[in-house]
Amino acid sequence: MVWRKVKEQGFNAMLLVPFFFNQYVLFLATAILVILIAFTSMDSSMHWKFNGIVNFRKALIDPKIGLIMLNTIIFVCMTLLFKVVWGFIIAVTTTYYMENKTVGSWFRTIWLLPRVSPGVVEAMLWTWIFSSSEYGVLNSLMHTLYGSAPVAWLDKYPLLINILLAGVMGSSLSMVILSSAMQSINKSYFYVAKVDGASEWSILRNLIVPFLRWPIMFLVIWQGLALLTSYESILLLTDGGPNSRSETWALYAFHKAFSSLDFGYGSAVSLFILPIVFVVIFLAYRVFGFHKLMNAAK
Amino acid sequence: MKLLNGNKVKLAVVLLTAVTAISTGCGAKTTEGNKSVAGDNAGQASAQTAGNVETVELTVAGRRPVGDSYGMENLAKAAEKLNQKLEKEDSKYRLKVNPVLKPDDLNQYIIFSSKSGKAPDIAEIGYSNIGWLAEGNYVMQMDDMKNQDVFKNLMPGYWNAVTWDKHIWGVIQDTEARMVFFYKPHLKKLGWTDEQIAALPKKVENGEFTMQDMADVAKQAVDQKLVKHGFLHNTGPRDVAAFYVNNGVQMYDEDKKQYVFDKANVVETFKEVKQLVDSGLLPDSMMTYSEKDRLKEIVNGTALFVGGGIWEEARFKQNGYHNELGNVNSEWIQQNLGVILLPPSKKGGKPITMSNPYVYVASKTTKHPELVKRLLVEVSAPEYQKNHATQSSHIPFTKEAQELAKESAFLNSVSYMTNYSKFVPNHPDEPKYEKIRAEALKNVETGTMTPEKAAEWMEQQMKLDLGSIVVK
């Protein structure tokens, strides 16, 4: 009898164990280690030599930091805009404007492809498209159409191309969430609006957008925070270059730790992101009413 | 019991059981993982016993693939030879070499595998890493290697490459030279005679043909539309060090064990490079040029002067860079390509070549230090040096092996270059400094900074990353 009860309740608890282990053991241990390392001069020799706040002061006078901060702001804001707006356009087009559900699903499946293909493959494909040699896809196309000479695209527009790559790769999540939200809107609202003579623009502005407010809010905060700490696609496409023109904060932390083997400084740089994350979460909760989204449905 | 009600106690028991189960599972997995790692040849020496013989499996890590290096192949062959000796000595040990290739992250691999007790027994790595490997306690001290017969006729000055803090931490694997290829047919089109072309390397050696002279000839070729680019240089951080050294930049103070910021000469270096870019000889995107594109340009004659290393000769033969011929042979190379040292920046000056000899180091925690050392002595024998040198176009490091490698006409023609070898420091902070060195030059080439501004940036970055430095 007791064993049966343990089994009943224990099963649910056991399901949560990996989550708890990750959140409260692995994550916590990693965070504590990173914080401790940030106060050391640990480098390739991996010695724990505590040096106070030297690394943090160093970050503030680092000649690259201004450019890196600007890159990060542009990268996060522009990619976020691209992800959400593009995801919104695909979602609305394929669920509302396309009458045929099968065609809509088919289009959405195509937009899921970047999400399911490995990042390395995606980056290699983009490197080929924007290759500076005459054999690059874009350069061959430009040469065939306009007879243009090869252009070093990744050197000329490194940040813009990174924004496009991250935006295309990430818009599928917005598309999935917003499509689901669109499909859950009661159809009668649209019928009533049309009977009342509302224009398509008015339906979009006064009906669809307000209905999608919460999912959009969730996407902006969730993806914005994720973008602050993401660097993989940039690492693969331009590695932050040329001349740090596509170097973002998280990538700089990675480079300092694993490329220059300056683990202390790399950890300190990474910790600067933490206050930003806390401020964003606070603002989202208090100012933008994010807590209403997190509350149980009434 | 009031503190915890019945359900909570049961839940706690279940959680503890689950955590224990998971931990046990993790433990089991780790053990399994270790087995598989050993099976994959990554990690510390493992041993298998059959009868009275114990086969010691040594892990050897490197970043150069076959074609660029035959170090791993040599170690395997040397292990076989050593096994014969061990058998004669009635030793119970036999060696087996398990190679691990880490082209992009060898340094990280050594650090993290060492910290988890699975360091490779031997690593094939560039000499400039000796400082941090020694300071970090990753590698075994090998002072006694100096007394081994096989190293008796080592090239002068090459023990310095493996020396840090007055101790020896590895043995040389090969040496090479970085130089400049030129495309002979274009020089002929510019009116040069065969004699003049043949005399060019000597003129560079004598300081009669400078960087400016090279730029002038390159300009003629560009103006006459013979080539797209007058000069392309190799872009690695140890390659671009050549421009600094050529302009007399002092990088390091041996006595103080500190890096030096030599402002006046650094500015001169940047001005020289900027002039090459401004006159349309060197592309401003040079530092992001792919190695393959650069080498294709010299083989196909779309550039007149191209920086590289002597090992490129092997790549020309193997990698199909020629647009029509694909792979080219020794005769074609001799007929169409010439090689010179990087010309001096000033008339009458000495040319230079940057040397980055590869070395073998052994893990401090290897379970079989004596066997590892014996293997490193064995692999340093002249025949193995020759095997690596002739196949990958490198220069052997002892006189005996250089004699054996004389059968290669190309190696013969470039071996004099090692007389002009210069080395970057092998200080523990070299991984940080080499990045600053390359980035500062990139800032000038791309036009992001003026030479003076780039020098200021370099000074600031050196102070930031290297702590106390000497400012000249």
Side-chain angles (χ1 to χ4, degrees):
Chain A
M1 182 72 177
V2 175
W3 177 238
R4 210 183 57 174
K5 268 196 158 183
V6 167
K7 265 169 78 179
E8 276 170 12
Q9 294 178 11
F11 180 69
N12 295 337
M14 275 177 75
L15 286 178
L16 285 174
V17 167
F19 168 77
F20 279 118
F21 185 69
N22 183 56
Q23 291 300 106
Y24 298 108
V25 180
L26 285 184
F27 180 76
L28 203 66
T30 315
I32 291 169
L33 270 177
V34 170
I35 292 169
L36 287 176
I37 293 172
F39 292 94
T40 69
S41 61
M42 186 184 284
D43 57 12
S44 50
S45 59
M46 301 286 275
H47 292 152
W48 287 87
K49 286 184 203 153
F50 285 90
N51 62 355
I53 57 164
V54 169
N55 292 325
F56 296 92
R57 278 168 51 195
K58 203 167 127 178
L60 295 174
I61 53 164
D62 191 326
K64 280 186 186 164
I65 235 61
L67 175 65
I68 288 166
M69 201 182 286
L70 184 68
N71 286 344
T72 311
I73 294 169
I74 296 173
F75 176 74
V76 172
C77 295
M78 297 298 290
T79 311
L80 194 58
L81 191 72
F82 188 99
K83 279 180 169 188
V84 176
V85 171
W86 192 238
F88 177 83
I89 291 171
I90 304 169
V92 173
T93 315
T94 56
T95 52
Y96 176 67
Y97 292 113
M98 280 183 188
E99 301 275 320
N100 189 327
K101 275 189 173 179
T102 318
V103 177
S105 306
W106 191 74
F107 269 104
R108 285 198 298 278
T109 310
I110 292 175
W111 276 101
L112 268 178
L113 287 178
R115 171 67 59 178
V116 294
S117 56
V120 179
V121 175
E122 204 69 27
M124 274 176 69
L125 191 69
W126 280 60
T127 310
W128 180 41
I129 293 172
F130 293 105
S131 164
S132 59
S133 84
E134 56 196 290
Y135 309 110
V137 175
L138 189 55
N139 277 339
S140 322
L141 200 68
M142 296 291 280
H143 182 73
T144 314
L145 294 177
Y146 308 107
S148 322
V151 176
W153 300 104
L154 289 170
D155 288 352
K156 264 192 148 173
Y157 312 105
L159 196 58
L160 178 67
I161 296 173
N162 272 302
I163 289 168
L164 289 176
L165 171 63
V168 169
M169 288 282 284
S171 56
S172 45
L173 178 69
S174 312
M175 178 199 75
V176 169
I177 290 178
L178 295 178
S179 303
S180 309
M182 275 293 296
Q183 282 162 341
S184 70
I185 301 173
N186 193 328
K187 295 280 182 294
S188 53
Y189 287 109
F190 296 108
Y191 300 144
V192 170
K194 280 185 179 165
V195 168
D196 285 349
S199 65
E200 287 297 345
W201 171 244
S202 174
I203 290 175
L204 185 71
R205 203 164 62 105
N206 300 317
L207 192 62
I208 296 177
V209 172
F211 264 116
L212 297 185
R213 185 190 159 197
W214 289 115
I216 289 174
M217 165 86 82
F218 164 74
L219 284 169
V220 167
I221 292 167
W222 180 266
Q223 301 214 62
L225 291 176
L227 278 170
L228 259 181
T229 52
S230 81
Y231 61 86
E232 301 85 351
S233 64
I234 310 178
L235 177 82
L236 293 165
L237 193 62
T238 54
D239 197 20
N243 296 334
S244 304
R245 278 168 52 211
S246 57
E247 184 101 46
T248 57
W249 201 282
L251 181 62
Y252 191 54
F254 174 85
H255 274 147
K256 282 292 159 190
F258 294 101
S259 204
S260 303
L261 303 177
D262 198 345
F263 299 109
Y265 186 44
S267 302
V269 170
S270 73
L271 286 184
F272 276 88
I273 295 177
L274 268 185
I276 302 173
V277 171
F278 286 135
V279 168
V280 171
I281 292 174
F282 176 78
L283 287 176
Y285 244 78
R286 285 292 167 93
V287 182
F288 298 109
F290 196 64
H291 57 284
K292 288 180 198 159
L293 175 71
M294 306 291 278
N295 287 342
K298 285 167 189 164
Chain B
M1 267 301 165
K2 276 181 184 174
L3 286 172
L4 290 168
N5 65 32
N7 280 343
K8 280 184 180 169
V9 171
K10 285 168 199 163
L11 187 64
V13 169
V14 171
L15 276 173
L16 275 173
T17 317
V19 170
T20 315
I22 286 172
S23 312
T24 321
C26 287
K29 204 174 169 188
T30 312
T31 317
E32 194 57 39
N34 283 345
K35 269 186 195 165
S36 110
V37 163
D40 289 346
N41 309 328
Q44 280 281 340
S46 59
Q48 288 169 8
T49 312
N52 290 331
V53 174
E54 192 178 305
T55 303
V56 175
E57 294 196 22
L58 297 178
T59 305
V60 182
R63 59 162 56 97
R64 300 191 293 185
V66 178
D68 282 354
S69 171
Y70 291 81
M72 303 279 193
E73 184 185 282
N74 278 352
L75 279 166
K77 284 182 182 171
E80 279 172 29
K81 194 153 186 191
L82 184 58
N83 283 343
Q84 290 169 10
K85 291 182 182 173
L86 291 170
E87 200 176 339
K88 276 185 195 164
E89 293 165 15
D90 263 349
S91 164
K92 69 168 186 169
Y93 295 115
R94 300 292 180 272
L95 294 183
K96 185 172 176 267
V97 169
N98 293 322
V100 175
L101 201 62
K102 295 280 170 189
D104 300 320
D105 56 353
L106 181 63
N107 295 5
Q108 290 97 312
Y109 172 66
I110 292 175
I111 292 171
F112 298 131
S113 61
S114 299
K115 292 297 165 191
S116 58
K118 292 175 189 167
D121 300 277
I122 296 171
E124 183 199 23
I125 194 166
Y127 85 98
S128 58
N129 295 286
I130 284 286
W132 70 262
L133 286 170
E135 288 280 305
N137 266 334
Y138 296 108
V139 290
M140 190 200 302
Q141 210 183 87
M142 297 190 194
D143 287 347
D144 48 343
M145 281 292 196
K146 231 175 170 174
N147 306 323
Q148 296 289 339
D149 278 352
V150 75
F151 298 116
K152 211 164 58 188
N153 290 315
L154 187 88
M155 287 167 67
Y158 273 74
W159 279 117
N160 292 342
V162 284
T163 302
W164 172 251
D165 208 13
K166 296 175 186 155
H167 292 288
I168 289 169
W169 302 91
V171 295
I172 300 280
Q173 194 226 327
D174 64 22
T175 187
E176 27 60 353
R178 285 165 171 73
M179 36 50 162
V180 179
F181 288 97
F182 59 91
Y183 195 74
K184 290 180 183 177
H186 289 328
L187 286 187
K188 282 188 187 167
K189 283 182 191 158
L190 291 174
W192 287 45
T193 63
D194 285 338
E195 289 71 32
Q196 281 174 313
I197 292 172
L200 187 58
K202 199 74 200 164
K203 278 183 82 174
V204 172
E205 259 193 287
N206 296 339
E208 295 160 21
F209 187 84
T210 61
M211 284 293 284
Q212 186 56 54
D213 296 324
M214 184 172 83
D216 292 341
V217 178
K219 184 89 177 112
Q220 287 175 35
V222 171
D223 290 346
Q224 291 186 28
K225 298 200 182 333
L226 291 175
V227 291
K228 202 161 64 172
H229 297 115
F231 175 54
L232 300 174
H233 64 72
N234 34 357
T235 54
R238 284 170 296 281
D239 306 319
V240 298
F243 293 108
Y244 293 88
V245 177
N246 207 23
N247 279 281
V249 172
Q250 185 191 351
M251 291 187 189
Y252 186 63
D253 187 320
E254 288 279 352
D255 301 327
K256 291 182 182 165
K257 279 192 175 177
Q258 279 184 338
Y259 279 95
V260 178
F261 177 66
D262 183 354
K263 191 171 183 179
N265 289 327
V266 163
V267 172
E268 280 305 304
T269 308
F270 292 160
K271 280 182 178 168
E272 182 180 74
V273 173
K274 187 177 180 337
Q275 204 188 338
L276 289 169
V277 176
D278 289 349
S279 32
L281 304 176
L282 185 73
D284 58 5
S285 59
M286 185 68 246
M287 290 296 278
T288 51
Y289 233 70
S290 83
E291 184 178 66
K292 188 179 161 191
D293 286 344
R294 173 170 51 82
L295 296 176
K296 279 183 93 168
E297 291 224 18
I298 188 65
V299 177
N300 293 290
T302 50
L304 183 59
F305 293 101
V306 172
I310 58 168
W311 59 87
E312 319 288 13
E313 194 237 9
R315 291 178 175 172
F316 297 152
K317 289 176 179 172
Q318 296 163 11
N319 295 355
Y321 290 147
H322 196 286
N323 287 343
E324 284 143 28
L325 301 173
N327 289 337
V328 291
N329 57 26
S330 299
E331 288 71 39
W332 187 95
I333 293 171
Q334 212 164 0
Q335 215 170 356
N336 293 282
L337 303 181
V339 281
I340 51 174
L341 287 155
L342 185 72
S345 293
K346 291 183 181 75
K347 212 72 171 178
K350 266 193 169 186
I352 60 140
T353 176
M354 294 310 296
S355 191
N356 178 38
Y358 259 66
V359 300
Y360 291 120
V361 290
S363 166
K364 194 167 189 171
T365 55
T366 180
K367 287 175 191 155
H368 300 276
E370 287 313 312
L371 286 174
V372 165
K373 279 194 205 169
R374 282 191 71 177
L375 182 61
L376 292 184
V377 170
E378 198 65 47
V379 80
S380 304
E383 64 264 33
Y384 297 122
Q385 288 189 53
K386 183 210 153 192
N387 179 47
H388 167 70
T390 51
Q391 290 196 78
S392 66
S393 297
H394 283 82
I395 297 175
F397 53 84
T398 62
K399 213 160 66 181
E400 296 84 351
Q402 283 170 0
E403 283 298 318
L404 285 180
K406 270 190 174 161
E407 67 185 47
S408 159
F410 178 76
L411 288 184
N412 248 343
S413 70
V414 294
S415 59
Y416 78 93
M417 291 183 169
T418 53
N419 298 332
Y420 298 92
S421 293
K422 299 282 180 192
F423 303 88
V424 294
N426 60 4
H427 186 277
D429 279 340
E430 186 55 23
K432 294 178 198 168
Y433 177 57
E434 65 176 26
K435 284 189 173 54
I436 301 173
R437 198 167 54 211
E439 209 164 324
L441 196 86
K442 198 199 286 181
N443 287 336
V444 178
E445 286 188 352
T446 51
T448 314
M449 292 180 190
T450 62
E452 291 77 13
K453 185 82 193 150
E456 264 173 48
W457 177 90
M458 191 176 179
E459 181 180 359
Q460 212 177 345
Q461 201 70 51
M462 281 176 74
K463 283 178 178 164
L464 195 73
D465 286 353
L466 309 174
S468 52
I469 57 166
V470 178
V471 179
K472 262 176 85 176

